[in-house]
Amino acid sequence: MQNSIIICPIGSVNIEILKYLGECLTNQCGFEYRISSAMGNPDYAYNESRSQYNSKTILKHLIENRSYNTFRLIGVTDVDIYVPILKYVFGLAQLEGQCAIISLYRLRPCFYDQPPNFNILLGRAEKTIIHEIGHTFGLTHCRKRSCVMYSSSRIEDTDFKEPCFCPTCNELFKWHLTAVNKVNTGR
């Protein structure tokens, strides 16, 4: 399956969320997807002093364990992730690479003392996975606050964004996708 994204649960992740995210990638980006078997909890990345998981360590693990012919591999986890210079992140991706990870942990309304709302969680997860897939195609953060590529340093940023690229980022995404396809087909 050329241009097929593999969605890999890391630890226990609700299958309905994984399927929803796959459909979002199909609808927004035109990719087929498949859900792989789960990787175990990322205990290897746990930082006891922070009570969080190092997203760079998890991303490195995904990179090292992907198949050689993987188009894109996106890990989805329920654990709280961070990068060393930030308190937390919603996701992390290789810029112009094949792998990314998103965390559902801080996307859940209950994390912010709000009632559980599955639809809000799905909307936030959709924006996060599209944002991270954009990074794997070389897109950087956009200045347009409603663009999915706008940097989300707070959940309010994620909530404000649309689940799609702005016109400029969309053109860049298509250009990068065309370039990747030419490299993969040797044209």
Side-chain angles (χ1 to χ4, degrees):
M1 282 195 293
Q2 189 177 2
N3 293 359
S4 178
I5 295 180
I6 300 169
I7 299 173
C8 177
I10 300 173
S12 179
V13 180
N14 180 323
I15 189 70
E16 295 307 315
I17 294 172
L18 299 173
K19 288 178 182 176
Y20 179 83
L21 293 174
E23 291 301 318
C24 291
L25 291 170
T26 298
N27 295 335
Q28 291 293 328
C29 305
F31 300 121
E32 294 180 34
Y33 75 94
R34 72 177 176 83
I35 299 170
S36 72
S37 56
M39 290 185 171
N41 283 330
D43 297 332
Y44 53 86
Y46 187 69
N47 181 325
E48 196 169 311
S49 67
R50 292 181 67 136
S51 298
Q52 291 177 296
Y53 296 78
N54 188 323
S55 61
K56 288 185 172 189
T57 304
I58 299 170
L59 187 60
K60 182 179 177 189
H61 185 77
L62 282 173
I63 294 164
E64 292 171 349
N65 289 286
R66 75 186 190 286
S67 299
Y68 76 94
N69 62 348
T70 299
F71 178 66
R72 294 292 185 275
L73 174 63
I74 310 291
V76 179
T77 188
D78 257 326
V79 301
D80 192 16
I81 61 175
Y82 73 96
V83 293
I85 61 169
L86 298 173
K87 290 182 180 180
Y88 64 90
V89 291
F90 300 120
L92 182 70
Q94 286 180 289
L95 190 61
E96 295 188 70
Q98 295 174 309
C99 297
I101 180 173
I102 72 163
S103 169
L104 304 173
Y105 188 85
R106 290 177 185 258
L107 300 178
R108 296 180 184 285
C110 57
F111 183 82
Y112 305 94
D113 296 322
Q114 299 168 350
N117 186 316
F118 196 62
N119 289 330
I120 289 175
L121 170 63
L122 291 177
R124 290 171 173 173
E126 174 182 12
K127 295 170 191 180
T128 304
I129 202 166
I130 293 169
H131 179 96
E132 298 306 335
I133 203 73
H135 282 319
T136 69
F137 284 96
L139 297 182
T140 57
H141 289 148
C142 183
R143 292 183 181 170
K144 187 172 183 180
R145 194 165 172 242
S146 62
C147 178
V148 77
M149 291 310 297
Y150 186 81
S151 178
S152 287
S153 55
R154 304 168 307 134
I155 198 63
E156 292 83 7
D157 297 326
T158 301
D159 288 341
F160 188 83
K161 294 193 278 191
E162 297 294 324
C164 55
F165 302 117
C166 70
T168 301
C169 288
N170 192 48
E171 287 303 312
L172 286 169
F173 179 76
K174 289 178 185 175
W175 184 83
H176 282 283
L177 181 58
T178 301
V180 167
N181 285 334
K182 285 181 181 178
V183 168
N184 288 345
T185 60
R187 290 190 231 157

